Amino acid sequence: MADAFIYDAVRTPRGRGKADGALHQVSTLGLATTALTAIRDRNRLDTKLVDDVVLGCVDPVGEAGGDIARAAALASGFSQCVPGIQINRFCASGLDAVNFASAQVMSGQQDMAIGGGVESMSRVGIGASGGAWPVDPAIAIPAYFMPQGVSADLIATKYGFSRDDADAYAVESQKRAAKAWEEKRFAKSIVPVRDPNGIALLDRDEHMRPSTDMQSLASLKPSFAMMGEQGGFNAVAIQAHPEVEKIIHVHHAGNSSGIVDGAAAVLIGNKEAGARAGLKPRARVRAFANIGSEPALMLTGPVDVTKKVLARAGMTISDIDLFEVNEAFASVVLRFMQAFDVDAAKVNPNGGAIALGHPLGATGAMILGTALDELERTGKSTALITLCIGAGMGTATIIERI
């Protein structure tokens, strides 16, 4: 197989996913166009060299529907010969888009492709696309459906993570994100979102709360206790895991991922395509994998898929210098570190979705770019990027700095 090289990675800032967020006035198309245009302009790219644009989008309805990838390629002024495809694997969609683009290059069917993702959570509400999993008894019952927050609390209960553990992790995420911005660690990849007059609407992640501390988090009530207790989902969790006697609800808005808007794009190509475009590779895609995981726990997929992708790459956990584990909920990352006995300093050193936010379809591509920037900043070699996924799945990618 051919090598798939990463030539560039860009992302927008994450805007608060509410009506008063800085990016609310920008359409899903506008966000995606910002990322694709930046990839083209930064690299002086002849877009005729691009064989495909693959974008993740978790709620591809309304303005985000109708194959947003093709629409964004055209709106970005790409050659009309460049096709586009939208994919959805819930929270891993953006990373899988990069993996799909890489697979096409590795297989020799394409020379250069762009993977990425977009989500306007302020304009297209979470869950807007619906689905059978939460509402059809034919799948909801055998899959032990429950809201993700209850699953996160089940993980915390089963594996022994307290409210203080979750809150302490959240405080650290905020501190790391604030330090990353202070030291301009994101500067290489961030592209501002502008209005039609070219005025910057947002050039910095908007969701962060650097002043967060244990005392401020202690005032927040658990977000999923009512739906767990009164909605009957605690009973579902215990039915799936009878070794758990009672669900302890530890998650709330402060130690869970933020709802935000944003987009990202990653330029992938083989060696020859990069040479034709006059580009120097920054990293190589070493391996990637997907896996299904136990659907009631749901969010432990990063543990399972990490084992799978390491085996595929012929590596061990000690071969990885840096981990980006999406902070959907604090317990997801706490369980990952517990399972592999990983040094916390190696995991999300620049903060994560608790501080920065989680623009569903874009996050995977965003954190891959963050990992690449951090490898270059620190001179380290390998990074593993992974996300938990609704319905019990996991996706992971290993990259190697050139």
Side-chain angles (χ1 to χ4, degrees):
M1 293 194 303
D3 280 326
F5 294 104
I6 300 171
Y7 287 99
D8 200 11
V10 302
R11 73 168 178 94
T12 68
R14 296 166 169 97
R16 284 186 298 112
K18 298 182 179 180
D20 61 353
L23 299 182
H24 176 64
Q25 64 182 286
V26 182
S27 68
T28 306
L29 179 63
L31 293 174
T33 299
T34 297
L36 292 183
T37 301
I39 279 283
R40 180 196 64 198
D41 293 349
R42 283 163 49 121
N43 297 284
R44 300 178 180 178
L45 183 64
D46 178 357
T47 58
K48 292 179 181 178
L49 297 174
V50 178
D51 293 309
D52 205 358
V53 173
V54 187
L55 293 184
C57 185
V58 173
D59 282 299
V61 295
E63 68 177 46
D67 192 354
I68 191 67
R70 171 62 170 169
L74 291 173
S76 301
F78 279 36
S79 169
Q80 66 180 14
C81 71
V82 181
I85 184 171
Q86 173 270 325
I87 66 168
N88 178 13
R89 200 192 302 270
F90 297 145
C91 296
S93 299
L95 185 60
D96 253 329
V98 176
N99 293 344
F100 280 29
S102 300
Q104 294 183 88
V105 170
M106 290 173 169
S107 69
Q109 300 305 302
Q110 295 184 2
D111 296 323
M112 180 172 283
I114 294 172
V118 62
E119 208 80 43
S120 178
M121 300 183 75
S122 70
R123 295 171 64 95
V124 183
I126 184 171
S129 58
W133 170 46
V135 298
D136 188 336
I139 181 59
I141 293 173
Y144 296 99
F145 170 78
M146 64 189 83
Q148 287 194 358
V150 179
S151 288
D153 287 336
L154 172 60
I155 292 169
T157 304
K158 181 178 175 67
Y159 292 104
F161 305 124
S162 68
R163 169 71 181 260
D164 281 352
D165 292 333
D167 285 358
Y169 182 84
V171 170
E172 183 64 17
S173 178
Q174 295 283 358
K175 289 180 178 178
R176 292 183 181 191
K179 183 176 181 180
W181 269 105
E182 289 169 7
E183 297 183 356
K184 299 182 179 180
R185 297 183 188 180
F186 299 132
K188 190 171 186 177
S189 297
I190 288 281
V191 292
V193 180
R194 302 182 183 276
D195 70 9
N197 297 314
I199 298 172
L201 297 171
L202 188 66
D203 60 5
R204 182 182 176 88
D205 292 315
E206 189 179 26
H207 184 266
M208 295 186 300
R209 296 179 176 87
S211 62
T212 298
D213 56 24
M214 293 294 287
Q215 289 71 34
S216 62
L217 292 184
S219 68
L220 300 177
K221 294 182 179 180
S223 296
F224 309 102
M226 182 174 293
M227 65 178 65
E229 294 164 5
Q230 298 181 17
F233 292 110
N234 283 358
V236 175
I238 293 169
Q239 184 181 25
H241 288 269
E243 72 278 10
V244 175
E245 295 182 3
K246 180 182 178 180
I247 305 301
I248 308 301
H249 293 281
V250 304
H251 289 94
H252 50 75
N255 58 29
S256 306
S257 57
I259 295 173
V260 294
D261 305 331
V266 181
L267 182 60
I268 304 288
N270 60 29
K271 183 177 181 180
E272 293 74 20
R276 284 194 296 271
L279 301 175
K280 182 180 179 181
R282 296 173 60 187
R284 178 172 70 97
V285 177
R286 179 79 177 263
F288 48 84
N290 298 96
I291 201 167
S293 61
E294 202 275 300
L297 282 175
M298 193 188 312
L299 308 175
T300 54
V303 174
D304 301 321
V305 78
T306 292
K307 295 175 183 177
K308 183 176 181 178
V309 76
L310 288 171
R312 176 165 291 168
M315 303 173 74
T316 66
I317 202 77
S318 62
D319 293 322
I320 305 298
D321 299 315
L322 167 69
F323 299 88
E324 281 289 331
V325 183
N326 187 39
E327 295 175 354
F329 300 90
S331 65
V332 173
V333 188
L334 292 172
R335 172 55 188 153
F336 183 91
M337 293 190 292
Q338 180 190 67
F340 295 108
D341 193 23
V342 175
D343 181 356
K346 292 184 174 183
V347 181
N348 303 343
N350 297 308
I354 290 173
L356 300 169
H358 176 22
L360 304 179
T363 303
M366 285 186 169
I367 64 176
L368 183 143
T370 298
L372 175 57
D373 286 345
E374 184 67 8
L375 287 179
E376 292 176 338
R377 186 186 75 86
T378 60
K380 294 178 180 177
S381 179
T382 57
L384 187 149
I385 303 96
T386 185
L387 301 92
C388 61
I389 307 172
M393 293 183 283
T395 296
T397 304
I398 298 173
I399 64 172
E400 184 176 58
R401 184 174 64 89
I402 301 296

